[in-house]
């Protein structure tokens, strides 16, 4: 049907706001689901635009944090989530207490949308007690966790979710139902539905996660309740009441398949007396829109799902005035096949393994993308502990409120049955108050900017009164080979932000400020300014409260512990280069070098002047001395800053545009500062050539004069308008070690026992959709689990598993 102006206006508003309010989406792939203290957590960061899952988001800087059970940050990394740098690791301390830790990842931009949009993953860290190793656990019931079995004696809650939110008289409705235990887990069940006179109306059976559905033609003069089949033979079985049946109403009756969804709008009240609209949308993007004719009780509609983006699809019914009436969510998913091909299923010890990877779309066309791959010993790691993967996180978990039990289960061996189970999940946990339309019309309060790189923030204030803000021009200089020099005008409150810097080595930054007169739009020579630099504080966190812990099954944790102890024993036996000595005390002290300073980053200089050896120097200020002394005067003359050759203003002062080639204790200096200082404050002076001087100043072609104050702070000067900070830059991950047994080395005599056999975080599928990963097996006869996760350049995540053995 044709669109109408009112809907066109609404669509335009949604699209305009969406361009501003698009959030980031993050997923972390780790090599294992749990760890033992002392191990490494290896991780890969996937960062995408939330609305499309394409890599065209503004942010590039991802904060990755490891939180302890109390919610305290014990380690953090800044990850440049682009290309080969988008991975990292945490080295776990061996003394970490056993408990439930968390990985948290977010961008600065995501903080505008609340911490519920952050990526979080619970990671259990175990502690080994060599004197009391874990015994083999007993599995109470096959196919269920011990906690689920034990919880069956606890209080249960059977919840009902009518399609469209309510039951309507004489209207067939689909009702979602879920049985939840005290710990929040779903419990598998079967139940019977009765009317108030005791007549059995229908039955319902759930899937293994405790969700099911049934159809009910409700009558307004009847009440309905359910009894669990497990309670039927008890003396007074508990009755779970269904929602009350409404006399009239408007609802949606939805049936969906893998490729198509059919919608029947049923209205027995006056909500659609003037007509209305049905909108189908995914992540805020409108896929379909229908106009509903007025005064129609039943309106059948349908749409194809092939070209609709994977994820939660919202079907929202609006009246003629664009007010929402009812909403139903469904799930759309078309798997993307990634193939893992090995030459054989069984390998020898220390044999080379080639994994050939290929990625294609539904039509068999190759797809470019990136991926990460982990290979773990299946007998030591319970892979069923992993509950979320890149697919379930990016297109399901991030879209549904609340805890989803085992979300990745829905996408393993995807079929019509799994599609049906996802629809039951949408009926139960997908049910929510209609709020996205109102949110789309609200402006986003932006407290945090996106970070394309490292960010340094600060503010400038009056030098004599730090509480008084001072608008200034502030310049930033990065010392080192990767030079950065920028100048900005602060805001009215003296605030400034430098961002977008991409570097991976520790870098020193120097900041200089001069007062700025806003009325004249002019930078002054006055540097009586205080500079305060500060980091962006991380969001607050809370302790983990629920005691929802499922211990790894099949005795894998006990075997894991024994294997770790075996690896430690091997390391001690073969680490022949280590000699353990009794405690000794060194009492000698190194002779200090009077010319060794922290800010000195060069080894060569063309001339050095030591103030104490120049008896005449003490009567001059520093600027006078530099103009008088031959070696330093040559540098000033070449820079055009000596006597008549200097550019001066009407008051006879050197113009600010001409950079003075002088640094004081590593900081760029200006003439005003040098005139206020006495040569008695200076310990020594080095004259540097262009190459050595480039470590400090951008324009070092004429040489640089490096001044150093006396050791121990003997000078009486105060440097105004200058501050410094050292930044570690983006984290560069350590390399995952894997031996190469096709080249003979002495180190290969050491027995090889690995828990994670291979970790490859940077797999890039070429234009043919292909890549290869190569590694060698270790010395164990065992079964191994291969897991690959990734996302295509078109924004479609993929996941695949495969196994092989060694003997």
């Amino acid at each position: 049907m044709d669109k109408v102006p009112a809907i066109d206006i609404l669509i335009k508003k949604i699209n305009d706001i969406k361009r501003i309010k698009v959030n980031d989406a993050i997923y972390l792939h780790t090599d294992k689901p749990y760890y033992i203290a002392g191990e490494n957590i290896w991780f890969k960061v996937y960062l995408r635009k939330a609305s499309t899952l394409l890599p065209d988001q503004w942010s590039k800087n991802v904060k990755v944090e490891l939180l302890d059970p109390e919610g305290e940050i014990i380690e953090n990394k800044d990850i440049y989530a682009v290309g080969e740098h988008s991975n990292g690791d945490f080295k776990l301390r061996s003394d970490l207490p056993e408990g439930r830790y968390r990985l948290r990842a977010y961008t600065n931009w995501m903080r505008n949308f609340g911490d519920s949009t952050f990526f979080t993953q619970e990671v259990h860290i175990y502690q080994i007690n060599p004197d009391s190793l874990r015994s083999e656990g007993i599995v109470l019931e096959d196919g269920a966790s011990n906690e689920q079995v034990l919880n069956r004696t606890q209080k249960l809650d059977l919840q009902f979710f009518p399609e469209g939110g309510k039951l309507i008289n004489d209207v067939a409705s689909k009702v979602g139902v879920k049985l939840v235990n005290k710990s929040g887990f779903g419990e598998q069940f079967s139940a019977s539905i009765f009317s108030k006179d005791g007549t059995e109306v229908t039955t319902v059976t759930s899937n293994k996660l405790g969700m099911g559905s049934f159809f009910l033609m409700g009558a307004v003069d009847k009440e309905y309740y359910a009894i669990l089949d497990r309670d039927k033979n008890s003396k007074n079985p508990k009755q779970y009441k269904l929602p009350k049946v409404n006399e009239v109403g408007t609802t949606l009756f939805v049936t969906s398949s893998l490729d198509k969804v059919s919608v029947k709008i049923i209205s027995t009240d006056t909500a659609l007396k003037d007509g209305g609209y049905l909108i189908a949308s995914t992540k805020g993007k409108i896929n379909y829109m229908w106009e509903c004719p007025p005064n129609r009780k039943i309106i059948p509609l349908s749409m194809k799902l092939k070209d609709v983006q994977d994820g939660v699809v919202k079907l929202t019914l609006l009246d003629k005035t664009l007010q929402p009436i009812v909403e139903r969510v469904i799930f759309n998913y078309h798997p993307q096949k990634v193939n893992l091909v090995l030459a054989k299923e069984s390998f020898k010890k220390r044999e080379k393994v080639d994994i050939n990877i290929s990625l294609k779309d539904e039509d068999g066309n190759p797809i470019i993308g990136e991926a990460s791959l982990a290979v773990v010993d299946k007998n030591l790691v319970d892979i069923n502990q992993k509950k979320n993967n890149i697919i379930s996180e990016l297109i399901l978990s991030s879209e549904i409120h609340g805890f989803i039990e085992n979300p990745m289960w829905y996408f393993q061996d995807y079929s019509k049955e799994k599609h049906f189970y996802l629809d039951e999940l949408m009926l139960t946990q997908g049910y929510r108050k209609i709020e996205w339309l109102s949110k789309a019309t609200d402006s986003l309060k932006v407290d945090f900017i996106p970070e394309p790189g490292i960010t340094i923030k600060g503010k400038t204030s009056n030098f004599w009164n730090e509480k008084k803000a001072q608008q200034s021009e502030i310049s930033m200089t990065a010392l080192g080979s990767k030079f950065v020099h920028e100048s900005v005008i602060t805001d009215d409150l003296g605030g400034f932000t430098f961002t977008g810097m991409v570097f991976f080595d520790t870098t020193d930054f120097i900041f200089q400020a001069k007062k700025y007169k806003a009325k004249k739009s002019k930078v002054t020579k006055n540097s009586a300014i205080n500079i305060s630099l500060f980091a962006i504080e991380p969001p607050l966190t809370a302790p983990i409260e629920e005691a929802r812990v499922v211990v790894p099954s099949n005795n894998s944790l006990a075997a894991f512990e024994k294997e770790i102890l075996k690896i430690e024993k091997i390391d001690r036996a073969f680490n022949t280069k280590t000699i353990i000595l009794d405690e000794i005390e060194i009492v000698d002290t190194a002779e200090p070098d009077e010319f060794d300073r922290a800010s000195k980053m060069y080894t060569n200089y063309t001339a050095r002047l030591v103030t104490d050896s120049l008896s005449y120097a003490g009567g001059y200020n520093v600027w006078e001395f530099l103009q008088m002394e031959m070696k330093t005067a040559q540098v000033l003359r070449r820079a055009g800053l000596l006597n008549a050759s200097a550019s001066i203003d009407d008051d006879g002062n050197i113009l600010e545009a001409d950079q003075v080639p002088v640094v004081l204790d590593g900081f760029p200096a200006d003439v005003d500062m040098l005139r206020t200082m006495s040569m008695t404050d200076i310990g020594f002076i080095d004259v540097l050539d262009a190459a050595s001087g480039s470590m400090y100043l951008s324009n070092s072609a004429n040489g640089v004069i490096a001044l150093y104050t006396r050791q121990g702070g003997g000078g009486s000067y105060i440097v105004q308008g200058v501050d410094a900070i050292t930044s570690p830059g983006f984290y560069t991950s350590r390399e995952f070690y894997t031996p190469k047994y096709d080249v003979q080395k002495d180190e290969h005599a050491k027995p090889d026992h690995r828990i994670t056999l291979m970790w490859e975080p940077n797999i890039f599928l070429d234009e043919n959709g292909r890549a290869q990963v190569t590694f060698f097996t270790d010395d164990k006869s065992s079964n191994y689990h291969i897991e690959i996760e990734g996302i295509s350049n078109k924004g479609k995540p993929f996941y695949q598993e495969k196994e092989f053995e060694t003997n």
Side-chain angles (χ1 to χ4, degrees):
M1 300 179 184
D2 295 333
K3 296 178 182 178
V4 296
I7 275 292
D8 284 341
I9 293 171
L10 178 63
I11 293 174
K12 185 178 185 304
K13 283 183 179 180
I14 292 171
N15 290 335
D16 288 344
I17 296 296
K18 186 179 69 174
R19 278 190 285 270
I20 301 173
K21 294 180 65 174
V22 172
N23 200 357
D24 296 327
I26 293 176
Y27 174 72
L28 259 60
H29 178 199
T30 58
D31 65 309
K32 297 197 294 287
Y34 54 88
Y35 297 85
I36 287 179
E39 285 197 290
N40 295 307
I41 297 179
W42 302 95
F43 63 84
K44 161 80 171 186
V45 176
Y46 291 93
L47 171 64
R48 292 294 186 272
K49 181 185 287 187
S51 60
T52 62
L53 298 185
L54 295 175
D56 58 353
Q57 73 293 334
W58 296 332
S59 304
K60 298 293 185 293
N61 186 346
V62 175
K63 318 288 185 182
V64 182
E65 301 164 344
L66 179 62
L67 311 177
D68 67 14
E70 297 303 316
E72 296 294 329
I73 299 173
I74 59 175
E75 198 169 351
N76 64 288
K77 312 287 186 188
D78 275 8
I79 301 295
Y80 187 60
V82 178
E84 63 182 7
H85 295 289
S86 56
N87 61 290
D89 62 276
F90 289 118
K91 173 64 177 176
L92 299 176
R93 299 196 324 269
S94 58
D95 62 345
L96 278 180
E98 183 169 313
R100 299 162 65 204
Y101 292 70
R102 277 172 290 176
L103 286 172
R104 181 172 74 167
Y106 58 92
T107 64
N108 201 43
W109 179 248
M110 293 173 75
R111 298 180 67 173
N112 295 303
F113 300 84
D115 56 9
S116 63
T117 66
F118 296 176
F119 172 85
T120 56
Q121 175 181 316
E122 190 171 304
V123 178
H124 204 107
I125 297 175
Y126 295 95
Q127 185 61 251
I128 296 179
N129 183 353
D131 299 324
S132 179
L133 293 178
R134 298 175 201 273
S135 59
E136 295 183 352
I138 300 174
V139 179
L140 299 179
E141 179 180 315
D142 191 29
S145 71
N146 290 349
E147 184 181 17
Q148 286 177 312
V149 175
L150 296 173
N151 277 336
R152 287 174 186 170
T153 61
Q154 299 177 359
K155 183 178 180 181
L156 300 174
D157 183 20
L158 193 63
Q159 304 169 351
F160 301 96
F161 304 87
E163 188 172 34
K166 57 186 178 182
L167 296 172
I168 302 173
N169 185 50
D170 288 335
V171 174
S173 298
K174 188 176 184 180
V175 181
V177 58
K178 182 174 183 178
L179 182 65
V180 181
N181 63 35
K182 183 180 179 181
S183 296
F185 282 108
E187 289 282 354
Q188 191 167 356
F189 73 94
S190 60
S192 298
I193 312 300
F194 299 90
S195 60
K196 67 178 180 180
D197 60 4
T199 303
E200 182 175 306
V201 178
T202 187
T203 60
V204 57
T205 301
S206 77
N207 58 38
K208 72 172 190 176
L209 297 181
M211 284 172 282
S213 61
F214 61 91
F215 292 95
L216 178 68
M217 178 77 78
V220 71
D221 59 344
K222 293 184 179 180
E223 296 177 357
Y224 300 91
Y225 62 90
I227 295 178
L228 296 174
D229 288 350
R230 69 180 72 174
D231 298 334
K232 273 188 175 180
N233 295 325
S234 60
K235 186 175 181 180
N236 294 303
K238 182 175 180 179
Q239 298 181 2
Y240 299 89
K241 289 187 177 181
L242 272 67
K244 182 181 177 181
V245 178
N246 292 267
E247 187 170 352
V248 295
T250 297
T251 190
L252 302 176
F253 186 89
V254 179
T255 56
S256 64
S257 64
L258 295 175
D259 299 311
K260 181 181 178 181
V261 59
S262 297
V263 182
K264 188 180 291 184
I265 303 171
I266 304 174
S267 180
T268 61
D269 58 12
T270 60
L272 294 176
K273 65 177 181 178
D274 298 320
Y277 312 95
L278 182 66
I279 295 176
S281 63
T282 308
K283 293 182 180 289
K285 176 186 176 182
I286 295 178
N287 302 301
Y288 291 90
M289 187 279 299
W290 300 267
E291 183 180 1
C292 304
N295 293 319
R296 289 275 296 274
K297 183 177 180 180
I298 299 176
I299 306 171
L301 302 166
S302 65
M303 69 173 180
K304 295 181 178 180
L305 295 172
K306 182 179 180 181
D307 297 324
V308 175
Q309 185 178 358
D310 285 349
V312 175
V313 180
K314 298 177 182 179
L315 302 170
T316 309
L317 183 64
L318 311 174
D319 65 17
K320 198 67 174 181
T321 65
L322 307 182
Q323 293 302 308
I325 302 172
V326 64
E327 184 173 88
R328 163 80 148 94
V329 294
I330 62 171
F331 200 84
N332 177 49
Y333 176 60
H334 297 90
Q336 182 168 266
K337 184 69 173 177
V338 57
N339 290 313
L340 302 177
V341 179
L342 282 70
K344 50 188 178 180
E345 295 182 357
S346 180
F347 293 84
K348 298 178 181 178
K349 297 174 183 177
R350 299 198 176 193
E351 185 175 357
K352 184 179 180 181
V353 179
D354 290 323
I355 303 178
N356 293 297
I357 306 164
S358 63
L359 182 65
K360 296 181 180 181
D361 62 17
E362 295 177 358
D363 299 322
N365 300 314
I367 299 175
I368 298 172
E370 63 174 309
S372 47
L373 180 142
V375 182
V376 298
D377 189 327
K378 189 179 176 184
N379 294 328
L380 304 178
V381 179
D382 179 11
I383 58 176
N384 293 319
Q385 288 292 292
K386 178 165 180 160
K387 305 300 182 183
N388 216 0
N389 63 24
I390 192 170
I391 300 173
S392 57
E393 172 65 26
L394 293 182
I395 69 174
L396 176 63
S397 299
S398 59
E399 291 285 301
I400 299 296
H401 300 310
F403 169 72
I404 301 176
E405 184 180 347
N406 200 1
M408 66 179 283
W409 171 76
Y410 294 96
F411 303 96
Q412 293 172 317
D413 301 320
Y414 194 73
S415 61
K416 289 182 179 180
E417 184 179 37
K418 289 293 182 70
H419 175 81
F420 179 77
Y421 292 155
L422 273 168
D423 194 58
E424 291 181 331
L425 178 67
M426 296 300 103
L427 269 173
T428 54
Q429 291 186 236
Y431 179 78
R432 87 282 304 274
K433 180 182 177 181
I434 305 172
E435 56 185 14
W436 70 279
L437 286 174
S438 60
K439 284 186 176 181
T441 59
D442 294 335
S443 60
L444 176 67
K445 183 182 179 183
V446 178
D447 294 321
F448 303 93
I449 64 171
E451 293 181 294
I454 297 293
T455 297
I456 299 176
K457 298 189 69 174
K459 64 178 297 185
T460 56
S461 57
N462 185 279
F463 188 79
W464 313 109
N465 182 4
E466 292 188 23
K467 295 182 179 180
K468 183 178 180 182
Q470 175 63 60
Q471 190 172 19
S472 315
E473 180 197 65
I474 187 159
S475 64
M476 179 188 70
T477 303
L479 303 182
S481 57
K482 294 183 179 179
F483 177 80
V484 179
H485 182 84
E486 294 287 345
S487 295
V488 297
I489 304 297
T490 69
D491 60 27
D492 295 342
L493 299 177
F496 63 88
T497 301
F498 290 97
T499 190
M501 297 171 289
V502 179
F503 57 97
F504 301 89
D505 298 315
T506 299
T507 302
D508 295 314
F509 292 89
I510 295 174
F511 296 84
Q512 288 183 290
K514 290 181 172 62
K515 287 186 178 181
Y516 176 76
K517 293 184 177 180
K519 291 182 179 180
K520 296 183 178 180
S521 299
K522 180 181 178 181
V523 178
T524 72
K525 294 169 59 64
N526 192 333
S527 59
I529 296 170
N530 181 70
I531 302 174
S532 300
L533 302 171
F534 50 86
I536 301 174
E537 289 295 323
L540 298 175
T541 58
I544 299 176
E545 295 182 356
E546 288 185 62
R548 182 165 44 222
V549 179
V550 181
V551 177
S553 61
N554 302 323
N555 309 315
S556 59
L557 184 55
F560 192 171
E561 287 181 325
K562 293 176 182 178
E563 191 66 25
I564 288 288
L565 291 175
K566 184 182 295 184
I567 292 172
E568 291 178 354
K569 185 177 180 180
I570 292 170
D571 288 341
R572 287 195 300 270
F574 280 80
N575 192 5
T576 57
K577 295 182 180 180
T578 301
I579 301 175
I580 302 176
L581 301 175
D582 292 332
E583 183 178 351
I584 59 174
E585 182 180 358
I586 299 175
V587 296
D588 197 11
T589 304
E591 187 70 25
D593 182 358
E594 63 177 313
F595 301 115
D596 185 20
R597 304 297 174 85
S599 59
K600 185 171 168 285
M601 298 185 293
Y602 57 86
T603 56
N604 299 318
Y605 53 87
T606 59
R608 172 168 288 171
L609 305 173
V610 181
T611 305
D612 287 344
S613 65
L614 304 172
S615 59
Y616 60 88
Y620 296 94
N621 68 47
V622 175
W623 180 244
E624 289 172 337
F625 179 84
L626 296 181
Q627 294 179 90
M628 179 187 68
E629 183 63 35
M630 182 179 65
K631 294 292 185 181
T632 55
Q634 287 176 350
V635 176
L636 298 178
R637 184 180 294 109
R638 288 195 298 266
L641 296 172
L642 192 63
N643 300 327
S645 61
S647 301
I648 58 175
D649 60 16
D650 294 338
D651 299 323
N653 296 314
I654 294 175
L655 294 177
E656 294 293 331
D658 294 302
Q659 186 181 39
V660 180
V662 180
V663 293
L664 176 65
D665 289 338
F667 293 91
D670 60 26
V671 175
D672 286 341
M673 179 192 300
L674 300 175
R675 283 173 173 164
T676 62
M677 294 181 63
S678 170
M679 279 299 295
T680 57
D681 295 329
I682 302 299
F684 68 96
I685 302 171
D686 282 344
V687 179
L688 311 179
D689 60 16
S692 297
S694 65
M695 303 293 289
Y696 298 101
L697 298 177
S698 59
N699 182 13
S700 63
N702 300 304
V704 170
I705 303 168
L707 308 176
Y708 295 92
T709 53
R710 295 182 182 276
Q711 287 277 29
S716 59
Y717 76 98
I718 298 176
V719 179
Q720 300 178 349
V722 177
D723 203 353
I725 192 172
T726 299
S727 172
F730 284 111
Y731 180 68
T732 300
S733 181
R734 291 174 295 149
E735 184 177 355
F736 180 84
Y737 172 74
T738 176
K740 296 178 173 58
Y741 290 122
D742 53 354
V743 178
Q744 189 67 33
K745 292 183 179 180
D746 293 341
E747 65 190 53
H748 294 166
K750 179 181 177 180
D752 184 4
H753 287 243
R754 281 170 274 161
I755 311 297
T756 298
L757 196 63
M758 182 62 185
W759 167 250
E760 177 50 71
N762 293 316
I763 301 172
F764 299 100
L765 298 144
D766 61 20
E767 64 275 5
N768 297 313
R770 297 183 180 277
Q772 186 181 76
V773 174
T774 300
F775 61 93
F776 287 82
T777 58
D778 61 6
D779 291 334
K780 301 192 302 294
S781 295
S782 190
N783 297 312
Y784 292 90
H785 177 260
I786 305 171
E787 174 186 79
I788 187 170
E789 301 196 48
I791 189 166
S792 73
N793 64 336
K794 295 182 180 179
K796 195 173 178 71
F798 55 86
Y799 178 90
Q800 189 59 267
E801 300 170 294
K802 198 174 183 68
E803 295 183 1
F804 68 92
E805 64 178 14
T806 58
N807 49 49

